[in-house]
Amino acid sequence: MTALRLPLFLLLAGVLGLAGCSVHQPVSLYQLDSGSPVQPAQSAGMAVLLGPVIIADYLQRETLLQRQPDGSLQAATDGRWAGSLSSDIDQLLMRQVAGHLDSQRVVLAPATTGFTPDVQVLLTITRLDSGAKQPAILDAQWRLIDRRGQVRDNRIVHLQELHAGSTASQVQAQGILLQRLAEQLSVALKPLANQPPVAEAPRKRDAKPAAPAAEAEKQPKIPMASPIRTDMEVFRF
C-alpha cells in the first residue's frame, strides 16, 4: 500500500509544480524616462564638466525599491532596473543639460585630457524613490565651480511628482523629476557662459648679472700689510 502511495505523491507534486510555473509572471525591466531632449547644434558652445555625480548608497543596485507609508523601503516584486541606475542618471542629465544649453561640449567626469571646462558641476543625489501610495521625491544638491576654481552657486533642491500608483508610472515620475533637475541646473549654468579669460601669471624677468665693480664692493676688503720700521741696523759682510 505504501509503495502505491509514493508514485501518486510524486505525480501530484509534479502537477502542482507545473501549475506554479504557469502562474509565475516574468519580472519587468525598467529604465528612466529621459524625455525628448533637444539635440544640441553648437559644437563650440559652453564647456561643462558634469560630475562627479554621487548618488545615495541605497540607489546603487538593480533592485527597484518601493517607499512604504511608514518610510521604509521594500524591493518591488514586479520589476527591477534594467541596468545601472547610476549610469542611467548620468546619461539622462548629460543629454538634458546639453539640450538646454545647446552645446555639444557637455561631458561626464572624468574629463579627457585637454578638455578645459568653463564650469564643473558637483552633484549629489541623496534621494530618488517612490511608492504605490507615495509620490516620487528627488533630493539633490549641486555646486558650480568656475574656471578659477571658485564656487559660483550652491543649491539644495527638493522636487516631488505625483503618479498613478503603478510601477511603470512611478519610474516615469522619477524620470520627470530628473528632467526638472536638469532644467533648473541649466538655468543656473547659463550666466556662467561668458566668463572673462583667466589672466596668465606674469613671468619673472631674469635677474641681470651684477656689474664686476658692484660685486667687488660687496666682498670684504683685506687690509694690506705695511712694512714695520725699527731702529735696528742690518750689517752685511
Side-chain angles (χ1 to χ4, degrees):
M1 187 69 178
T2 305
L4 294 176
R5 288 180 180 178
L6 184 58
L8 180 60
F9 174 78
L10 294 176
L11 179 61
L12 290 175
V15 172
L16 291 176
L18 292 174
C21 293
S22 62
V23 175
H24 178 72
Q25 297 180 355
V27 176
S28 300
L29 302 179
Y30 294 95
Q31 282 186 314
L32 291 169
D33 182 12
S34 59
S36 301
V38 179
Q39 182 66 23
Q42 295 189 45
S43 59
M46 185 178 184
V48 178
L49 179 60
L50 183 58
V53 178
I54 302 174
I55 66 172
D57 291 340
Y58 80 95
L59 296 173
Q60 300 180 21
R61 61 189 69 197
E62 294 183 0
T63 306
L64 202 162
L65 300 176
Q66 297 282 277
R67 180 74 64 173
Q68 304 301 311
D70 61 356
S72 62
L73 293 168
Q74 294 184 7
T77 58
D78 60 343
R80 62 182 178 84
W81 296 112
S84 170
L85 178 60
S86 176
S87 178
D88 284 352
I89 292 175
D90 289 346
Q91 292 296 325
L92 188 155
L93 293 175
M94 181 190 68
R95 294 181 181 277
Q96 285 286 333
V97 171
H100 286 296
L101 297 179
D102 190 20
S103 174
Q104 292 277 3
R105 303 174 67 198
V106 178
V107 301
L108 292 170
T112 57
T113 305
F115 180 78
T116 304
D118 298 319
V119 184
Q120 181 179 7
V121 180
L122 304 180
L123 179 63
T124 303
I125 297 177
T126 56
R127 179 176 177 181
L128 178 63
D129 56 59
S130 57
K133 297 181 180 180
Q134 303 296 319
I137 293 179
L138 169 64
D139 288 333
Q141 179 181 12
W142 75 59
R143 285 191 301 163
L144 306 184
I145 313 296
D146 66 10
R147 61 179 63 173
R148 291 179 172 81
Q150 298 179 351
V151 179
R152 299 293 295 272
D153 189 28
N154 183 25
R155 194 173 308 179
I156 298 175
V157 180
H158 175 82
L159 302 174
Q160 185 170 315
E161 183 74 15
L162 298 176
H163 54 79
S166 64
T167 304
S169 64
Q170 292 181 49
V171 174
Q172 184 179 17
Q174 293 181 25
I176 292 175
L177 289 179
L178 289 168
Q179 296 174 37
R180 290 169 55 188
L181 174 65
E183 182 179 4
Q184 293 187 16
L185 178 59
S186 301
V187 172
L189 284 169
K190 286 181 179 179
L192 303 180
N194 299 319
Q195 298 181 54
V198 178
E200 296 183 358
R203 298 181 179 178
K204 294 182 178 180
R205 295 182 178 179
D206 297 334
K208 295 182 179 180
E215 289 294 333
E217 292 179 358
K218 292 181 180 180
Q219 295 185 5
K221 296 181 179 180
I222 301 175
M224 298 182 66
S226 57
I228 301 175
R229 296 183 178 180
T230 62
D231 295 335
M232 296 178 64
E233 293 183 358
V234 178
F235 296 93
R236 295 183 180 179
F237 298 93

